[in-house]
Amino acid sequence: PKEPDVSCMNVDYTSNLASEIIKAKLKEHGGHVTVYTARGLPCEIYAEPDGTTFTSDKLPIKPAYDYTVFDVIVDLLYRQGGSAKKGNGRNCKLGEAGCEENTVVGTVALHRGRKTGDSVFDPVFVLAAVLEWAGIAENGRGELILTKEYTEKL
């Protein structure tokens, strides 16, 4: 296991943004936490030395994910009344049924620069686990739901 360096991680502790809440919690834990997927499987999350991105043993993707991906997901959930379907990026291309722009996987793919018709990697099982660990969203079966505690802060 790598030893994260959180010295470059600037956190706005007064912010209600999901990205800042997650960065703060990750920094509190020394830059490394174990979160659990909806199936109960462990997932390691590591802060990257740049202070703006994170990696996971379950996301072997370059470039690393930036924390703002959580803000994009929360914005989607908020716009849709507090919940959204996770979607299916494993068997569908962006824009196809199951991987529409109004699903979490579709929104994340767009955030990562993908275009309609592109194949996408489906990171939602990890991102949902992080959001649940942070108390921001409930990792429901097939959907993400903003928690009452988080929505009361907005």
Side-chain angles (χ1 to χ4, degrees), residues 24-86:
K25 283 188 67 111
L26 193 53
K27 189 170 185 174
E28 261 177 44
H29 287 84
H32 170 243
V33 294
T34 303
V35 297
Y36 294 88
T37 67
R39 292 185 185 168
L41 301 173
C43 184
E44 305 299 318
I45 305 296
Y46 299 93
E48 287 298 306
D50 63 10
T52 62
T53 60
F54 66 95
T55 55
S56 168
D57 62 332
K58 303 290 190 269
L59 297 177
I61 300 293
K62 301 287 185 210
Y65 282 79
D66 59 273
Y67 293 101
T68 60
V69 71
F70 297 111
D71 300 332
V72 169
I73 294 169
V74 167
D75 286 346
L76 170 72
L77 300 178
Y78 188 76
R79 283 193 322 268
Q80 294 191 166
S83 68
K85 291 182 180 180
K86 290 179 185 176

Side-chain angles (χ1 to χ4, degrees), residues 18 68-87 100-111 124 131 143-146 150 154:
T68 60
V69 71
F70 297 111
D71 300 332
V72 169
I73 294 169
V74 167
D75 286 346
L76 170 72
L77 300 178
Y78 188 76
R79 283 193 322 268
Q80 294 191 166
S83 68
K85 291 182 180 180
K86 290 179 185 176
E100 301 96 332
E101 295 177 13
N102 65 345
T103 63
V104 177
V105 70
T107 295
V108 170
L110 288 170
H111 176 71
V124 174
L131 286 163
E143 70 177 339
L144 269 180
I145 306 150
L146 289 175
Y150 180 73
L154 300 177

Side-chain angles (χ1 to χ4, degrees), residues 16-17 114 134 139:
N16 287 329
L17 288 173
R114 298 288 186 231
N139 192 0

Side-chain angles (χ1 to χ4, degrees), residues 88-89 91-100 115-120:
N88 180 357
N91 300 317
C92 308
K93 294 183 188 252
L94 183 57
E96 292 179 352
C99 192
E100 301 96 332
K115 297 187 180 5
T116 301
D118 287 352
S119 293
V120 300

